[in-house]
Amino acid sequence: LWHETVKALNSLFQQWDAQAVALWNISGEPCSGSAINGTVFEDPANNPAITCDCTYDSNTTCHITQLKIDQNYFTGTLPAFIGNLSALTSL
């Protein structure tokens, strides 16, 4: 599951010529580092950014709940995979 999410996020960033900041792991488990450690989501240095909620299934499953890709000048449509982020509450 995470492999597909990471692949989709990388594809999105490539489409928009953006790169994930080094504060979170875009090559493996995305719900690590700044996505779960309390890094301020709105910090300008944390862009693009994600936040995860890891309280699902008795704290064994994480879901991306926030995806921030602001302060950019993107064009085009959102990719369909965004709809697969069922716990996403903020884009």
Side-chain angles (χ1 to χ4, degrees):
L1 176 64
W2 282 121
H3 175 71
E4 291 302 314
T5 301
V6 169
K7 184 177 174 182
L9 285 171
N10 279 330
S11 175
L12 174 67
F13 294 150
Q14 183 178 23
Q15 175 185 336
W16 286 335
D17 196 26
Q19 292 183 345
V21 293
L23 301 175
W24 56 284
N25 184 351
I26 194 60
S27 64
E29 167 64 70
C31 289
S32 62
S34 66
I36 60 171
N37 71 5
T39 298
V40 177
F41 184 72
E42 295 301 328
D43 184 337
N46 191 22
N47 185 38
I50 63 171
T51 298
C52 296
D53 178 351
C54 296
T55 61
Y56 294 87
D57 301 323
S58 301
N59 298 328
T60 62
T61 302
C62 298
H63 290 286
I64 297 173
T65 57
Q66 295 181 297
L67 172 61
K68 178 176 73 169
I69 48 176
D70 65 351
Q71 301 174 3
N72 298 290
Y73 299 98
F74 302 130
T75 60
T77 60
L78 288 174
F81 94 88
I82 292 288
N84 295 335
L85 298 175
S86 60
L88 192 68
T89 58
S90 175
L91 173 63

